[in-house]
Amino acid sequence: MTCERPETSATGGRPDVLAPLPVAWRSHGPRQRSWRTLRVRTSAVLTAAVVLAVLLVPPLVQLDQQAVDLAAKLRQPSWSHPFGTDDVGRDLLLRCVYGLRVSLFVGVAAALVAAVVGTAVGALAGALGGWVDRVAMRVVDALASVPHLLLGVFVVALFRPGVWPVLLSVAATHWLSTARIVRAEVLSLRGRPFVDAAISGGASRWRIAVRHLVPAVLPQAGLAAVLSVPHAMWHESALSFLGLGLPAHMASLGNLIEGARGSLLAGQWWPTLFPGLFLIVPTLAVAGLAGAWRDRIDPRRRSELML
Amino acid sequence: MSAAASTAAVDAGAATARRRLPWGGMARLTVRRILTGVPLLLTVTLGVFALAAASPFDPVRGYAGDAALTADQETLDRLAANLGVGEPFAVRWWDWLTAALRGDLGDSTVLRQPVLEVIAERAVWSALLCAVAFAVAVAVGTLLGVLAARRPGGLLDRTVTGTAYTLSAAPVFWLALLAVWFFALRLDVLPAGGLTDSGSSYVSFGDVAEHLVLPAGVLAVSQLPWFVLYVRQGVVDALAEDPVRGARARGLAERTVLVRHALRSGLLPVLTLIGSRVPELITGALLVETVFSWPGIADATVRAATAVDFQLLAALTAFATVAVLLGNLLADLLYGLFDPRVDFRDM
């Protein structure tokens, strides 16, 4: 559905045979394909591992992440504590899993809110056009011209740190790209024959929007939503690191890194290193999966950047 | 002879045509951007005041701080009247705006200084940090991107691209902390933070340069992945285009083809990126300045936010918005300047 975009070629109406080879050919050899398969499989395995760990460890493992053991504080990574212990002797592996759980929860929730808002605004702006479109796009422009983290800092500062301000401030800055993508997609769909056919068939605006336009833009919107999960996690952890994020009793990975600053300056690297790795791995895994998904729904862009 | 003369004339004509810069188009674009930027800025600041009105934040408490706990009601009421608390946010926004146009952005409660002074004092250090980091990121990013693009799918390409993806997923404050641990604590070769040594009473060039290395390096590394990946993609695309094929067919050296032909057209998309990266740069600076206690604007932002210093926060938000808009304008101007095919009227 998305592969009928008009070609924008600088050379105009040149016969196809003479057109330069598309760069995509480079990524179609067997070796490249095997690399891509490997990447997708690794990403899938890692994503599954992250989700399973986050869902299963708290109910299955009967260990208290907050259990303080001052006798075992700041132990180096070892067999009994694979990631070592923090400055009051809590096991860092367990703390990281719980932190990832909090980060992932905030990230997914914020991305969901952002996806719904972005799709609704983008679809309305694209489908209605006129002043609705203009006002909506001005709002998007205005929000896009404030650095996101600064806006988050501002919101959390005014509303006091907590789960809801963090979640809403992250969601408020992540629906913009979805809205833009959905609007552009709807605009290009509006001129398509099947929409014209629906109009001449007497379908109402509402029916066209719900039955024809929204289903057609959902893959793109879903892709944008999936890609915004790691970004939202990153955003939340940055706020928490600045001390403007989640409260200490529901420590996210950002809180863990913030809390480890003292021991880092005393020379202990492990309380800082592992929470950061726990942020990197899900991000890469989700990006790998989203890249594969995009290859499927939009083969034309296969050779482009996976970002 | 006539053929040679006409060739020379054509060459001269081409040269002057190339040298004539689109000043008119650039000026018109700038004016148009200012005309759209002013309402945008007004919207953002109005939104800031609306948000403050909707929040549980109490300006009187914010202004008086702990003194509000012991002050009598009369003083608090007078303070509230002075601050215009009872009035709707649009009125307060208007008062703030008119005062701001006269050059009065109010006083910062946390730094006990006029807001304008805070910004003026700290903007220099933030600009220095960002400029150095940006220059390093562009230079190193271009180099690595070209090297990676030379043989797409090769070992070097895979290493560079993989590292770039991993780095782009790494939170910048985490990188900064690890850099502090490694370079300042483990190797003890660079200072861990601040602008100067704590003992020195004046700012010297060498001292600042030494303190700049780590923050600027980390900020550059955090911006690097995007440049590398985009330059690589631009050059890879350009290598498949006709001009490059033509250059190869004429027997030019591979280095010439790569640098003079592929890189030149491959860098164009990156140019737009440079200006549009300003928000990410500000975000990165916000975190890096916090880790390294660099006395810049971003450091002031975090302190203002922790203490709910509304005047300072509002001014800094407006300031950042202006910076982003200027970045976008700069990107478009550069793009039009370097690519003669671009028409400024389309922007």
Side-chain angles (χ1 to χ4, degrees):
Chain A
M1 66 197 73
T2 49
C3 41
E4 287 170 24
R5 262 184 221 141
E7 271 285 358
T8 47
S9 165
T11 48
R14 191 166 51 170
D16 263 353
V17 204
L18 290 179
L21 267 177
V23 189
W25 67 272
R26 289 178 197 280
S27 54
H28 282 307
R31 241 176 73 198
Q32 277 72 19
R33 214 174 305 140
S34 78
W35 266 104
R36 200 180 305 133
T37 319
L38 183 68
R39 198 176 70 205
V40 171
R41 283 196 184 147
T42 320
S43 306
V45 168
L46 284 177
T47 312
V50 164
V51 171
L52 283 181
V54 157
L55 289 181
L56 293 184
V57 165
L60 289 187
V61 180
Q62 299 299 321
L63 291 170
D64 184 10
Q65 57 136 345
Q66 302 279 15
V68 171
D69 181 6
L70 284 175
K73 68 172 183 178
L74 290 173
R75 288 266 169 85
Q76 292 232 13
S78 64
W79 282 113
S80 54
H81 298 289
F83 287 4
T85 59
D86 70 2
D87 52 353
V88 287
R90 292 175 291 195
D91 180 63
L92 270 169
L93 176 57
L94 211 54
R95 295 274 290 163
C96 281
V97 172
Y98 275 85
L100 183 64
R101 188 178 153 97
V102 174
S103 292
L104 207 59
F105 164 72
V106 173
V108 169
L112 266 181
V113 175
V116 171
V117 173
T119 311
V121 171
L124 277 179
L128 294 179
W131 65 269
V132 178
D133 185 26
R134 241 169 288 147
V135 170
M137 285 304 113
R138 282 291 154 270
V139 172
V140 169
D141 284 347
L143 269 176
S145 53
V146 185
H148 290 174
L149 190 62
L150 184 60
L151 197 67
V153 164
F154 188 82
V155 169
V156 177
L158 286 177
F159 287 84
R160 307 318 304 155
V163 180
W164 283 107
V166 170
L167 215 157
L168 290 181
S169 84
V170 176
T173 48
H174 284 70
W175 60 274
L176 306 171
S177 55
T178 316
R180 279 183 176 152
I181 292 169
V182 169
R183 173 178 173 271
E185 206 60 33
V186 166
L187 280 183
S188 84
L189 285 168
R190 268 172 66 185
R192 296 284 176 74
F194 70 88
V195 176
D196 289 341
I199 293 173
S200 49
S204 67
R205 269 168 175 269
W206 176 250
R207 187 180 163 81
I208 292 173
V210 172
R211 296 297 296 273
H212 297 281
L213 297 183
V214 169
V217 299
L218 274 186
Q220 294 279 349
L223 183 63
V226 169
L227 277 174
S228 67
V229 170
H231 203 263
M233 282 173 68
W234 182 91
H235 200 111
E236 177 276 317
S237 60
L239 281 176
S240 293
F241 174 74
L242 291 174
L244 292 161
L246 300 176
H249 67 266
M250 52 182 301
S252 73
L253 293 169
N255 292 89
L256 292 185
I257 297 177
E258 207 278 325
R261 281 179 79 174
S263 19
L264 183 86
L265 290 179
Q268 281 90 22
W269 48 268
W270 54 95
T272 304
L273 180 77
F274 292 114
L277 290 181
F278 262 54
L279 269 174
I280 294 181
V281 169
T283 307
L284 287 178
V286 170
L289 280 186
W293 183 0
R294 193 179 59 195
D295 286 353
R296 288 193 71 142
I297 64 172
D298 200 356
R300 189 182 295 270
R301 296 184 55 193
R302 184 167 271 185
S303 69
E304 283 182 22
L305 285 175
M306 186 196 78
L307 279 177
Chain B
M1 180 219 141
S2 68
S6 70
T7 317
V10 166
D11 276 351
T16 42
R18 196 194 287 161
R19 218 178 292 128
R20 199 182 302 137
L21 294 175
W23 292 118
M26 286 165 67
R28 272 194 295 277
L29 178 70
T30 312
V31 170
R32 218 167 52 229
R33 281 302 167 79
I34 292 172
L35 288 182
T36 54
V38 168
L40 204 76
L41 198 58
L42 294 182
T43 317
V44 169
T45 49
L46 183 64
V48 161
F49 275 82
L51 212 57
S55 78
F57 163 66
D58 179 3
V60 179
R61 284 280 163 92
Y63 188 82
D66 290 342
L69 297 174
T70 50
D72 57 301
Q73 195 55 42
E74 194 190 337
T75 321
L76 289 182
D77 288 345
R78 208 162 49 222
L79 197 54
N82 276 347
L83 292 168
V85 172
E87 293 174 69
F89 70 87
V91 176
R92 271 186 291 155
W93 169 71
W94 184 251
D95 290 344
W96 178 83
L97 193 70
T98 43
L101 287 178
R102 289 194 305 269
D104 173 22
L105 285 168
D107 294 316
S108 156
T109 46
V110 60
L111 298 167
R112 305 277 169 207
Q113 247 181 329
V115 168
L116 209 59
E117 212 173 275
V118 174
I119 294 181
E121 255 175 30
R122 289 167 171 261
V124 187
W125 300 120
S126 281
L128 177 71
L129 175 68
C130 289
V132 171
F134 218 53
V136 172
V138 170
V140 179
T142 310
L143 183 72
L144 286 178
V146 172
L147 286 179
R150 209 166 51 165
R151 207 172 297 158
L155 186 65
L156 186 67
D157 181 32
R158 282 214 298 273
T159 317
V160 168
T161 317
T163 316
Y165 280 129
T166 314
L167 271 183
S168 70
V172 55
F173 51 91
W174 180 72
L175 288 177
L177 286 171
L178 290 183
V180 166
W181 173 75
F182 190 71
F183 292 104
L185 296 173
R186 195 74 194 269
L187 300 181
D188 198 18
V189 287
L190 288 166
L195 182 66
T196 53
D197 285 334
S198 48
S200 70
S201 52
Y202 60 93
V203 179
S204 75
F205 177 77
D207 208 9
V208 172
E210 199 188 16
H211 283 77
L212 184 64
V213 173
L214 267 190
V218 169
L219 195 54
V221 164
S222 76
Q223 301 295 318
L224 200 57
W226 301 81
F227 283 114
V228 172
L229 293 173
Y230 275 92
V231 170
R232 176 192 168 276
Q233 189 65 33
V235 174
V236 165
D237 285 348
L239 279 173
E241 279 172 9
D242 286 346
V244 168
R245 199 176 298 170
R248 285 222 173 98
R250 291 202 301 279
L252 296 180
E254 185 61 28
R255 178 194 296 260
T256 320
V257 173
L258 201 63
V259 175
R260 298 285 297 275
H261 295 260
L263 180 60
R264 265 189 76 171
S265 62
L267 264 185
L268 273 178
V270 185
L271 277 176
T272 42
L273 202 68
I274 288 182
S276 57
R277 290 299 291 176
V278 170
E280 278 79 8
L281 198 64
I282 293 177
T283 302
L286 204 67
L287 295 163
V288 168
E289 286 188 7
T290 309
V291 172
F292 290 100
S293 323
W294 186 258
I297 289 189
D299 178 54
T301 312
V302 177
R303 290 172 63 179
T306 324
V308 206
D309 187 344
F310 178 72
Q311 300 287 338
L312 188 53
L313 271 180
L316 288 170
T317 311
F319 195 73
T321 310
V322 172
V324 171
L325 293 176
L326 282 180
N328 288 343
L329 174 65
L330 184 74
D332 286 346
L333 287 180
L334 282 178
Y335 197 56
L337 207 57
F338 284 98
D339 191 343
R341 291 169 300 183
V342 172
D343 191 344
F344 279 114
R345 278 168 299 184
D346 295 340
M347 288 178 180

